[in-house]
Amino acid sequence: MTENATSRSPDYESTIQKDAKYVMQNYGRYNIVLSSGSGSVVRDVDGREYIDCVAGIAVNNIGHCHPKQVAAIKEQAEKLIHVSNLYYTVPQAELAEQLVKITGMSRVFFCNSGTEAVEAAMKLARVTTGKTDFVAAEHSFHGRTMGSLSVTYKEVYRNPFKPLVQEEMFVPFNDPSAIADAITRNTAAVIIEPIQGEGGINVPSDKYLQEVRSICDDTGTLLIFDEVQTGFGRTGKWFCKDHSGVKPDIMTMAKAMGAGFPMGAIAAREGISFERGQHAATFGGSPLACAAALASIEVIREEGLIDRSKRMGAYFIDRLRNMSLEGVVDVRGRGLMIGVELDRKCGDIVESCMQKGVLLNCTSEKVLRIAPPLIITKEQIDAVVDVLEQA
Ligand SMILES: *Cc1c(COP(=O)(O)O)cnc(C)c1O
């Protein structure tokens, strides 16, 4: 950063030093220390503001610290934070009802993160079919625990941790015949992101998802959609599956579910469900988490954020396609899940935008990922494009 070190809050140096000393160094972090946020803006400890096009990686869909969600969390925290799943709670039952409504599925299971949702989906697929194997797509990302890591494509993530649940089951994305060829007698499920997130915002054709559905039907294979990144309005529908009309057998959700409060779930269609004792999570569906998610769903409805995601996404993509930035290979996405593919690694651009007050991130090395809160304004989008043009 260009700023003189004396302009820094004491929190800046000490936080970075403590991290270096006490936190496992598994993250490559940018040198800012964030301390507050509202709407589509976050602020660092030195008072600098940033338009947040990362949004916790497609998490803060209703913006930072939305007053409705803050109030709901406060109110629930004063009543009951956690009890065991040995007992019923009102928020969990209410959230389950809401999720069944917005997913069109039959029942849900609650957990706390994306990878846990994928683990649950894999276990449910195995226990439902009595089969062991999975087919996944090249450039997929499904998480970092042993099961979800097994169906995650990147070798640098997988190789140090072998043996995994299954080796090598990856087929080219957006190619239905590759899936048909890969399914065997032992295949429990095909797992697909309806738009690949970490893999570079890869948008398949609706027809692909429809054909995968019919291949799964013909072969008696379950279809899992990993909607961890694409859910809760991100792509301009409640869930990305709704663009294609394809109904999976099991779907995962997390990221934006609690709008920042850690939370995940799977939903399954009629006839597919865990039975007593087959799975559990201590914190899954805690009253506090469910209150946070209920508030978020209410805000998405009340503020028309699904439609807004579609409109602002179209505006953003249009502005990006017409901006003057060298080396843009492709601009793609749906709703406010947008990728700008460059002909070079995007690390320098991300750094330069950060210094000019815009947070972006880079995925798949050459793809700038743009996933702001769904409440982002046209003025903020214009400001982001201006910064990109100067970068
Ligand atoms: C982020 C992500 C996950 C993993 O979620 P975590 O909460 O980080 O475990 C799984 N699947 C997809 C599609 C994701 O984008």
Side-chain angles (χ1 to χ4, degrees):
M1 303 218 71
T2 50
E3 244 77 28
N4 185 325
T6 55
S7 74
R8 299 239 177 251
S9 145
D11 285 342
Y12 176 83
E13 285 299 337
S14 76
T15 300
I16 289 174
Q17 277 167 12
K18 282 180 195 165
D19 181 279
K21 190 165 176 195
Y22 300 120
V23 179
M24 293 192 190
Q25 295 296 296
N26 53 310
Y27 296 111
R29 297 194 208 264
Y30 295 101
N31 274 331
I32 52 175
V33 181
L34 297 173
S35 60
S36 68
S38 53
S40 299
V41 169
V42 287
R43 277 168 228 96
D44 67 16
V45 287
D46 302 309
R48 288 192 200 82
E49 293 202 340
Y50 305 84
I51 300 175
D52 186 7
C53 289
V54 178
I57 308 193
V59 166
N60 303 97
N61 284 13
I62 62 172
H64 290 277
C65 301
H66 192 290
K68 276 228 155 132
Q69 194 197 20
V70 171
I73 289 172
K74 275 186 181 164
E75 193 187 324
Q76 185 61 47
E78 284 171 353
K79 260 202 288 200
L80 189 66
I81 293 175
H82 171 83
V83 289
S84 165
N85 276 310
L86 289 168
Y87 313 101
Y88 300 100
T89 67
V90 175
Q92 188 180 114
E94 270 185 23
L95 179 59
E97 182 181 28
Q98 289 298 323
L99 289 176
V100 163
K101 264 189 201 150
I102 62 175
T103 60
M105 306 295 276
S106 170
R107 287 175 190 277
V108 298
F109 165 83
F110 290 109
C111 55
N112 310 285
S113 66
T115 197
E116 267 183 85
V118 172
E119 297 291 330
M122 292 174 75
K123 280 183 72 175
L124 184 55
R126 277 190 167 183
V127 83
T128 301
T129 60
K131 300 174 183 177
T132 54
D133 291 359
F134 296 90
V135 174
E138 290 174 4
H139 307 290
S140 64
F141 182 87
H142 297 294
R144 302 283 208 138
T145 54
M146 288 301 182
S148 65
L149 185 61
S150 306
V151 287
T152 288
Y153 181 64
K154 251 198 191 174
E155 289 196 341
V156 291
Y157 293 169
R158 264 186 300 125
N159 281 349
F161 303 102
K162 287 179 175 179
L164 296 169
V165 167
Q166 183 194 342
E167 303 301 336
E168 305 317 324
M169 77 301 272
F170 300 101
V171 298
F173 190 54
N174 208 14
D175 175 359
S177 66
I179 285 187
D181 292 344
I183 290 173
T184 70
R185 263 186 290 125
N186 301 322
T187 307
V190 171
I191 180 165
I192 294 281
E193 294 154 89
I195 293 177
Q196 290 187 328
E198 304 305 300
I201 318 295
N202 304 320
V203 186
S205 69
D206 289 342
K207 199 161 162 255
Y208 169 66
L209 299 175
Q210 288 153 4
E211 286 185 26
V212 172
R213 176 71 273 180
S214 71
I215 290 164
C216 287
D217 288 341
D218 292 347
T219 53
T221 309
L222 296 180
L223 177 57
I224 301 169
F225 277 172
D226 184 350
E227 292 249 22
V228 166
Q229 192 160 152
T230 48
F232 297 93
R234 173 56 53 194
T235 71
K237 297 272 187 190
W238 272 109
F239 292 94
C240 192
K241 69 182 177 59
D242 302 331
H243 293 287
S244 63
V246 172
K247 198 170 167 178
D249 299 294
I250 305 169
M251 60 186 278
T252 61
M253 57 199 112
K255 289 198 165 89
M257 185 176 181
F261 201 98
M263 181 151 220
I266 58 170
R269 69 161 166 79
E270 190 70 50
I272 297 181
S273 183
F274 283 125
E275 284 165 26
R276 189 158 299 175
Q278 283 180 339
H279 200 39
T282 297
F283 294 118
S286 82
L288 189 54
C290 290
L294 279 166
S296 166
I297 290 172
E298 205 176 300
V299 168
I300 291 173
R301 278 215 186 91
E302 279 177 6
E303 298 187 5
L305 297 187
I306 306 283
D307 187 55
R308 192 184 173 88
S309 170
K310 196 157 89 188
R311 279 184 292 116
M312 290 299 153
Y315 179 73
F316 215 148
I317 287 176
D318 184 60
R319 294 268 0 236
L320 290 166
R321 285 198 172 132
N322 293 300
M323 75 179 163
S324 59
L325 177 67
E326 255 171 58
V328 175
V329 175
D330 188 29
V331 177
R332 55 184 178 253
R334 233 166 178 174
L336 284 164
M337 182 170 182
I338 301 170
V340 178
E341 184 175 342
L342 304 175
D343 63 1
R344 59 191 183 280
K345 292 193 177 178
C346 46
D348 289 350
I349 289 194
V350 169
E351 188 75 37
S352 145
C353 287
M354 190 179 89
Q355 293 187 18
K356 294 181 171 71
V358 170
L359 301 186
L360 297 167
N361 110 305
C362 178
T363 188
S364 210
E365 291 193 341
K366 294 177 175 175
V367 181
L368 290 169
R369 172 172 32 199
I370 300 180
L374 310 183
I375 58 170
I376 193 168
T377 63
K378 274 194 173 167
E379 291 68 32
Q380 287 168 325
I381 291 172
D382 291 342
V384 171
V385 174
D386 282 350
V387 162
L388 269 169
E389 286 184 329
Q390 293 163 31

